[in-house]
Structure formats: C-alpha cells, structure tokens
Amino acid sequence: MRILHTSDWHLGRSFHRVSLLDAQAAFLDHLVATARAREVDAVVVAGDVYDRAVPPLSAVELFDRALHRLAAAGVPTVMISGNHDSARRLGVGAGLMGRAGIHLRTDPAQCATPVVLRDEHGDVAFYGLPYLEPALVKDVFKAERAGHEAVLTAAMDRVRADLATRPDSTRSVVLAHAFVAGGEPSDSERDITIGGVAAVPAGVFAGVDYTALGHLHGCQAVTERVRYSGSPLAYSFSEAAHRKTMWLIDLDATGTIAAERIDCPVPRPLARLGGRLDALLDDPALARHEAAWVEATLTDPVRPDEPMARLADRFPHTLSLVFEPERTAEDPLASYAQRLRGRDDQQIAEDFVAHVRGGNGADERERTVLRGAFEHVRVDDAVREVNR
C-alpha cells in the first residue's frame, strides 16, 4: 500500500503578516497532483490542519476544496486534529465525510476504531490518535498520571488490543500528534507543556508498522518506522534550512516500509542574514538572497538610521529586523531579549525570584508552585480552545 504522509498545514497562518493562502493553495494542488501521479492508496494528515481553533473563512474554503478534490480522485484520506485545531469543530460532519472516503479522527475515545483499507495483500488498519491534552483525556483512558507519555501509552494499549483481534496479516498505521523524544523542534510550534516533559519515547508506538507523526515542522525520521513529515511551508525563520517535503511510504505484504521524500513547492526561499548594515548592503555574495524573504540581524554598535528602508532597497522582501549590537552578554546594555534567549518561562520566573532576593533562588517547593502555575495556565488555555 502506498501512503502519502503530510501534516501541519496550518491553513490560515501568515508569515510575518504576509498571507500564505496562495502558497497553501499551491501546496494542496501539489498534494492532489502527487496523489494522482504516484498512484497513492491513502493520504494521511497528522494534525494541525488549521492554525487556530476558529480559522478564517478563506482557510475553511481552501480545506473544503482540497477534500472535494481528494474524494473526486478516489484517494481515501485519514486525518486527525492537532493542538492548533478545535477537535470538535474539525470533526463536524465526520460521519458523512467518511462515506466519501474522507475519514476524520478527532475523538480520543475512538482511537482504537481504525479505518480499514485493503490492497492485494490484505487489510491495513489506520488508527487516528488526535492530539491528546493530558488533563482533558486522563479519565477517558484511565491513565495513572496526567502526562503525555501516560495518555499516549494508554491510547496505544487500546490500539494494540484492537490489532490483536484482527488477522495476523493485518498491517497497521498510526497517526499521532505529539512531541516524540529525538525529534528536532523549531520556533514555530506551539509549546504543548512545561519544562520539556511533553516528549514521549518512540517506543510508545511499538507494535505498529508505521507511525505518521505531526507537530514538529521539520521532516525527520525518529526511527525507521516513526517519522515526522514536517510542515509543507516554513512558518518561521528558524525553518530557513528545512527542506519541506512529504513522505511517500510503501508498505509491503510483510509490513516492511520503503520511504521517499516528495518535495513541496517553495513560494519564496528564506534567508537569515547577519552583520553590520553597510556590510549587508555591499556584500556581493548576498546577491542570491535579494529575492528571498529576509530576516536581518544587525550587529552595528549604534543603531543605524532608517535600517529597514535601506535594507529594503536591496532586499525588498525583508520581513524581520533584529538588533544584536556587538556586546558581551555581561554588558549592562545587552538587550533583554538577548538575556532571555533560550530560556523557558519556568527558568525566567526562577531568575526573577533570584533577582528580587539578591541572589537567593527558589527552593524546590517554590519551583513546584511555579511549575504548577504555568501548567494551570497552559491547561486552562487548552480547555478554552476546545470549548470555543
């Protein structure tokens, strides 16, 4: 069976206030054309179809057109909701869509009810695990703890139990939206927990032939059988070096996989440039970036006059301007942003406690209180998204 694995479309998202709707439409054209040309048996979409719980109408229309075209092409499609999606909204009409071969899996309780497709070798069971917010689904799965690993393990136990009831020849594919240990994140994914404990081991998905992951925006193989497709477009300058692709997976009669990367259209390349303004404007080696979307980091000791306008004369698609003067980290004039770079909310809060106490940091009890407060806010935000 030939499977086209994609995820993280983020329909409705912009790039530094530049609309990406046309680029997203071009990607979906490419997706449908690839499915036809490569004789794909199933398309799997591993979450974050939309960029927010209530997407703009233009994004919904784009999604609707894509589904109609996939259904008209006779290509079964299985998709799950991600942490950016409203599972309840995305799942509206799932029963009717399923009759057209578009299978939406947004209800965590139904994760062990697969979409079963057949090829000349027998059945392939596709299990959809939508994004599982631990605090909201702990009771659904009777998990011992409200953690990502606990709820995903409980969900996969249900998947394996269902799979055990099926003929031995049944092959299996799992769709999941999660942060799996070993994956390389970028700046454009929304944090799904505090302190890095969202990462779950790849071994959680043991016992299935292929796991199609979503959430991280870089295409990567965590293991041979556990892969992220990544997002089809770059959504932050941290993705400048990404090669945006989909996975074309061939699943043979024994469950062995062969994987090929299918490149996605690039609306405009990204470039991250750094140095003094005059050097950026004069360096002939930078000519290749003049048509790119540019993030420029200026290192001039003193902020130059009209830097954005001057950059735009040479790089008309400059979207982001960052100032990082040539100073040491200990310099009292070093920017607040520089001092916070690479530090999460918990670390920043602990630094603040140490600052106001004259160097005496938070003790373990206080760190636990801070961690609980951040987790409460994050879960409350997730609940509000689900209920919108």
Side-chain angles (χ1 to χ4, degrees), residues 189-325:
E189 301 111 8
R190 179 186 296 169
D191 287 341
I192 57 177
T193 194
I194 299 299
V197 294
V200 301
V204 165
F205 301 103
V208 298
D209 295 307
Y210 183 67
T211 300
L213 293 175
H215 181 57
L216 300 186
H217 288 183
C219 181
Q220 53 198 293
V222 180
T223 71
E224 181 66 18
R225 296 184 180 275
V226 179
R227 297 169 184 260
Y228 284 99
S229 66
S231 61
L233 298 170
Y235 292 118
S236 75
F237 278 102
S238 67
E239 300 171 50
H242 286 189
R243 175 187 165 199
K244 294 300 184 181
T245 61
M246 302 177 284
W247 283 113
L248 189 69
I249 302 295
D250 283 322
L251 192 64
D252 75 7
T254 67
T256 300
I257 69 167
E260 176 188 350
R261 291 178 71 176
I262 305 294
D263 288 296
C264 296
V266 179
R268 190 179 295 280
L270 307 187
R272 304 183 93 172
L273 309 181
R276 298 195 176 199
L277 179 58
D278 288 342
L280 297 184
L281 297 179
D282 297 336
D283 188 349
L286 300 181
R288 68 185 189 278
H289 300 305
E290 290 174 358
W293 278 321
V294 168
E295 177 186 71
T297 300
L298 300 185
T299 61
D300 301 69
V302 177
R303 184 177 297 226
D305 291 334
E306 300 183 336
M308 193 63 157
R310 293 166 66 188
L311 278 167
D313 283 341
R314 184 178 189 189
F315 306 104
H317 304 287
T318 301
L319 300 181
S320 175
L321 186 58
V322 180
F323 290 96
E324 290 187 359

